[in-house]
């Protein structure tokens, strides 16, 4: 049993199938669990190749951020056969209480990519609205706390803004480049199905501008800097802004 969690499916392919890779070291009947935020189609191709070697491959990406990991309730989305899920879930539950069966191989990666695209859309929309409210004279913490108790609540109002922006930490532990990669996995999947994704496409384009302006390896919290620069609405604590 081997777990891998790497930046992309391309990296997984190289590590697993490349020269001297995992596939050349593992015995028949081995199981590789890919916890990468990966491309579902690449996942299926890797699994098909490994199947010829009698090696199993399933996807099990995670979502919930550092807090979810620390608290042991991060979502683990398992894609594979039900038999594989039943076999691996007791082990995954040692990591988290939220182990979810997503469906056949690649389903976990598909849901994770869709989840991160939705996260990005909600995140940008939340910063846009909070900036508006601050410009109109509302205290940013009051705005976020009130929205969190209202119908507009989302991950950004629950965790991103309180924990990373309003606190002044500016350290979510996730880079702009990774979020951009994840959102485009979802958009590429939509393209394969001839689906238009106007909100997702716009969100990805806006994130691209932020990456170009503030650096692709910068923490995703720099979205706050972009909105502050663009609107003049100060969201971070002024005494911790430097």
């Amino acid at each position: 049993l081997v777990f891998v969690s790497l930046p992309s499916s391309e990296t997984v392919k190289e590590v697993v199938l490349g020269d001297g890779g995992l596939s050349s070291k593992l015995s028949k009947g081995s199981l590789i669990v890919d916890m990468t935020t990966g491309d579902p189609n690449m996942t299926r191709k890797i699994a098909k190749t490994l199947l010829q070697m009698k090696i199993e491959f399933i996807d099990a990406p995670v979502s919930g951020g550092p807090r979810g990991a620390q608290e042991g309730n991060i979502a683990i989305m398992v894609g594979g056969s039900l038999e594989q899920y039943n076999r691996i879930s007791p082990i995954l539950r040692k990591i988290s209480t939220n182990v979810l069966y997503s469906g056949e191989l690649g389903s976990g990666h598909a849901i994770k990519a869709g989840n991160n695209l939705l996260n990005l859309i909600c995140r940008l929309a939340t910063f846009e609205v909070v900036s508006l409210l601050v410009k109109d004279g509302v205290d940013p913490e009051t705005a976020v706390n009130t929205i969190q108790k209202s119908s507009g609540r989302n991950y950004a109002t629950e965790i991103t803004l309180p924990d990373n922006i309003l606190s002044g930490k500016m350290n979510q532990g996730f880079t702009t480049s990774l979020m951009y990669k994840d959102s485009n996995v979802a958009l590429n999947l939509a393209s394969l199905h001839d689906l238009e994704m106007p909100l997702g496409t716009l969100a990805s384009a806006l994130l691209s501008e932020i990456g170009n302006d503030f650096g692709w390896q910068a923490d995703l919290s720099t979205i706050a800097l972009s909105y502050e620069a663009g609107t003049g609405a100060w969201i971070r604590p002024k005494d911790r802004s430097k």
Side-chain angles (χ1 to χ4, degrees):
L1 175 63
V2 178
F3 289 86
V4 295
S5 183
L6 298 165
S8 68
S9 289
E10 288 75 15
T11 308
V12 172
K13 181 181 179 181
E14 179 62 28
V15 168
V16 173
L17 298 176
D19 292 340
L22 281 175
S23 61
S24 66
K25 311 295 183 182
L26 296 176
S27 58
K28 293 180 180 179
S30 296
L31 172 63
I32 300 174
V33 181
D34 183 13
M35 304 189 81
T36 304
T37 300
D39 181 327
N41 290 303
M42 178 71 76
T43 296
R44 295 174 186 123
K45 290 177 182 178
I46 294 171
K48 185 176 181 179
T49 301
L50 288 172
L51 186 60
Q52 298 172 3
M53 307 174 193
K54 308 298 183 184
I55 296 173
E56 297 179 72
F57 186 81
I58 64 173
D59 49 311
V62 301
S63 180
R67 180 194 283 189
Q70 292 165 4
E71 295 179 354
N73 57 22
I74 198 165
I76 304 178
M77 314 161 196
V78 183
S81 70
L82 190 56
E83 184 277 328
Q84 289 171 323
Y85 169 76
N86 290 333
R87 194 180 347 141
I88 196 65
S89 58
I91 298 173
L92 293 176
R93 288 196 178 94
K94 295 182 182 296
I95 301 173
S96 173
T97 56
N98 285 324
V99 180
L100 309 165
Y101 181 55
S102 299
E104 293 300 318
L105 182 70
S107 298
H109 280 157
I111 293 176
K112 175 63 188 292
N115 172 81
N116 277 21
L117 179 59
L118 181 60
N119 177 295
L120 176 61
I121 293 169
C122 292
R123 184 184 301 256
L124 293 172
T126 301
F127 274 96
E128 186 173 289
V129 169
V130 170
S131 297
L132 165 66
L133 297 178
V134 171
K135 287 291 284 187
D136 200 51
V138 179
D139 175 76
E141 187 170 350
T142 299
V144 172
N145 288 342
T146 304
I147 293 172
Q148 176 57 23
K149 292 178 173 61
S150 306
S151 60
R153 62 186 177 275
N154 59 72
Y155 187 87
T157 58
E158 179 185 359
I159 294 176
T160 301
L161 277 152
D163 287 6
N164 300 297
I165 311 302
L166 299 177
S167 67
K169 292 178 182 177
M170 297 297 291
N171 182 20
Q172 186 176 337
F174 196 70
T175 66
T176 300
S177 64
L178 285 176
M179 178 58 91
Y180 185 72
K181 182 268 294 182
D182 293 353
S183 65
N184 278 283
V185 169
L187 292 175
N188 289 337
L189 187 62
S191 180
L192 287 175
H193 294 292
D194 294 322
L195 290 177
E196 293 186 4
M197 303 282 283
L199 290 178
T201 300
L202 176 59
S204 181
L206 290 172
L207 187 62
S208 179
E209 292 180 10
I210 293 170
N212 289 332
D213 290 343
F214 294 93
W216 286 101
Q217 296 310 310
D219 191 87
L220 194 59
S221 297
T222 54
I223 288 177
L225 305 183
S226 175
Y227 275 90
E228 286 178 349
T231 66
W234 204 270
I235 303 172
R236 295 170 294 157
K238 292 186 177 180
D239 59 346
R240 302 184 194 177
S241 60
K242 295 182 180 180

